[in-house]
Amino acid sequence: MAALLLSSHLPTATAPASTSAPRPSPRFIAFPVTTAKACRRRGCILASSAPPPTGTSPAAAQPFRSLAPSETTVLVTGATGYIGRFVVRELLRRGHRVLAVARPRSGIRGKNSQEDVVADLAPARVVFSDVTELDALRADLSEYGPIHAAVCCLASRGGGVQDSWRVDYRATLHTLQAARSFGAAHFVLLSAVCVQKPLLEFQRAKLKFEDELAAEAARDPAFTYSIVRPTAFFKSLGGQVEVVKKGNPYVMFGDGKLCACKPISEENLASFIADCIFDEDKANKVLPIGGPGKALTPLEQGEMLFRLLGREPKFIKVPIQIMDSVIWVLDGLAKVFPGLEDAAEFGKIGRYYASESMLVLDPETGEYSDELTPSYGTDTLEQFFDKVIREGMAGQELGEQTIF
């Protein structure tokens, strides 16, 4: 349910969001890179000058789509993050050459060394760099070009105000700028279905980048994108399995029917993201995606868990108004003590996930719709719960997160 992420994936250095990227020539093979300074003089930020032939879709006009996976290089940022690791493995399984960008110390609380990361992502080529510094990222990638496509799996770990703009917007923009510098013709963004109702800072940051990504495709007919907006991940719903297994009740807000989601497994999501590299039907589109089956409320998730354990359901129902009171207090304190700004934002994040469904909003009714939320894959939440009951959360560690 409500997930509060309490620390950042990335160092605190920032770079100007307005930095322009070099311009690749319209053809992917043999593209002279124009310097950012010269590009700014001509007003051609990230743009290509030649449109595809009349009557040809942008995706169909991209030469890399005719290549074998083994001949394509895909850049992945956020490669050591939870979903990023699955994406790297799926791209490798399909035969792509993968450039995986990682921090020098990654993982929960920076516990993984460079050697750990290289071993975990092998045989991908791991590039250690700082995505919050555009010049550093370009320099570190310079010996590995050209790049055919990029996948950005970056996300602020906590959703704090400054961290959201530093990672969900600025570092993601740097991924686009760096990838385009080395010829990337397609960009896959891992976003989130919740941005369709933006009440939180990280949602606003993601939406700002989505707008810039679409604008880049409008400027350059030879460039395409896919914006993937998944619903809940299995991991985010597994936090109470061990607690309930020990005989404790399942905790939910209200009557457990305030919201619903169609959770998708990490492997299935990674597969869908990998599909976006070559699938022309997914080009220049926003793609909400959930897992198989009907949407599940927290009440139904709890009942499923007790059924698998062979126990009578026991619930603790927490009034949602409690969260409203906490947020009101934190908001007031943050006006006096700016250091509490993130604490107030974390409270809002928890309130959002406790009451808003992770489903597509029906534009006609303004209501969340199970039917309008596409399904993908075969992995079910029930299978995931059963596995966690038997094997624990190995490989699904929550790290610096609190799950109710």
Side-chain angles (χ1 to χ4, degrees), residues 36-51:
K37 183 176 181 181
C39 193
R40 284 196 297 270
R41 284 200 304 269
R42 296 199 297 269
C44 60
I45 299 174
L46 286 171
S48 177
S49 58

Side-chain angles (χ1 to χ4, degrees), residues 57-62 64-67 69 72 74 91 94 96 149 185-188 224-228 271-287 289 376:
S57 70
Q62 294 170 322
F64 86 90
R65 293 180 185 273
S66 64
L67 300 175
T72 60
V74 181
L91 290 170
R94 296 187 184 201
H96 293 284
H186 188 70
F187 191 96
V188 184
T224 56
Y225 65 87
S226 301
I227 296 173
V228 179
S271 177
F272 183 83
I273 289 172
D275 288 347
C276 294
I277 301 295
F278 280 149
D279 189 345
E280 295 179 17
D281 289 337
K282 292 180 172 59
N284 291 346
K285 291 181 181 177
V286 174
L287 302 163
I289 194 68
Y376 181 90

Side-chain angles (χ1 to χ4, degrees), residues 23-100:
R23 183 183 74 169
S25 68
R27 296 180 60 82
F28 181 78
I29 305 301
F31 52 93
V33 179
T34 305
T35 65
K37 183 176 181 181
C39 193
R40 284 196 297 270
R41 284 200 304 269
R42 296 199 297 269
C44 60
I45 299 174
L46 286 171
S48 177
S49 58
T54 302
T56 303
S57 70
Q62 294 170 322
F64 86 90
R65 293 180 185 273
S66 64
L67 300 175
S70 60
E71 297 176 307
T72 60
T73 297
V74 181
L75 172 71
V76 180
T77 55
T80 58
Y82 184 61
I83 299 300
R85 291 167 58 235
F86 286 95
V87 171
V88 168
R89 291 167 185 167
E90 179 63 19
L91 290 170
L92 289 170
R93 188 189 70 79
R94 296 187 184 201
H96 293 284
R97 300 192 300 253
V98 177
L99 281 178

Side-chain angles (χ1 to χ4, degrees), residues 253 317-329 347 351:
F253 287 97
K317 299 179 179 181
V318 180
I320 194 69
Q321 292 78 11
I322 289 178
M323 298 192 75
D324 294 332
S325 300
V326 171
I327 293 168
W328 183 82
V329 171
R351 173 65 165 82

Side-chain angles (χ1 to χ4, degrees), residues 22-268:
R23 183 183 74 169
S25 68
R27 296 180 60 82
F28 181 78
I29 305 301
F31 52 93
V33 179
T34 305
T35 65
K37 183 176 181 181
C39 193
R40 284 196 297 270
R41 284 200 304 269
R42 296 199 297 269
C44 60
I45 299 174
L46 286 171
S48 177
S49 58
T54 302
T56 303
S57 70
Q62 294 170 322
F64 86 90
R65 293 180 185 273
S66 64
L67 300 175
S70 60
E71 297 176 307
T72 60
T73 297
V74 181
L75 172 71
V76 180
T77 55
T80 58
Y82 184 61
I83 299 300
R85 291 167 58 235
F86 286 95
V87 171
V88 168
R89 291 167 185 167
E90 179 63 19
L91 290 170
L92 289 170
R93 188 189 70 79
R94 296 187 184 201
H96 293 284
R97 300 192 300 253
V98 177
L99 281 178
V101 176
R103 292 165 294 153
R105 300 291 302 188
S106 63
I108 299 172
R109 301 181 184 89
K111 68 177 182 179
N112 297 330
S113 67
Q114 294 188 16
E115 291 75 16
D116 294 332
V117 172
V118 169
D120 184 46
L121 300 181
R125 168 74 70 176
V126 179
V127 179
F128 293 98
S129 190
D130 182 357
V131 290
T132 68
E133 294 287 349
L134 177 58
D135 290 342
L137 181 60
R138 279 181 173 149
D140 292 333
L141 291 173
S142 61
E143 63 181 285
Y144 302 110
I147 293 169
H148 298 82
V151 178
C152 182
C153 297
L154 293 171
S156 55
R157 187 182 292 273
V161 175
Q162 298 301 320
D163 198 40
S164 293
W165 287 99
R166 186 172 64 88
V167 180
D168 294 297
Y169 172 70
R170 192 168 297 114
T172 304
L173 178 62
H174 292 169
T175 300
L176 173 63
Q177 292 172 322
R180 295 287 275 146
S181 297
F182 300 104
H186 188 70
F187 191 96
V188 184
L189 173 67
L190 175 60
S191 186
V193 76
C194 62
V195 302
Q196 64 192 329
K197 189 175 181 179
L199 304 179
L200 305 170
E201 210 65 31
F202 83 87
Q203 296 166 338
R204 299 183 187 103
K206 286 181 180 294
L207 276 178
K208 181 173 175 59
F209 178 77
E210 286 190 10
D211 289 343
E212 296 202 14
L213 184 60
E216 169 60 5
R219 282 192 295 264
D220 183 356
F223 173 76
T224 56
Y225 65 87
S226 301
I227 296 173
V228 179
R229 292 181 177 176
T231 60
F233 306 146
F234 285 0
K235 169 186 173 180
S236 66
L237 303 177
Q240 296 196 66
V241 176
E242 290 296 331
V243 174
V244 172
K245 186 178 177 181
K246 293 176 182 177
N248 297 301
Y250 187 93
V251 181
M252 59 190 182
F253 287 97
D255 61 0
K257 301 177 182 179
L258 295 175
C259 59
C261 65
K262 296 177 73 170
I264 185 169
S265 75
E266 292 72 18
E267 292 90 347
N268 285 169

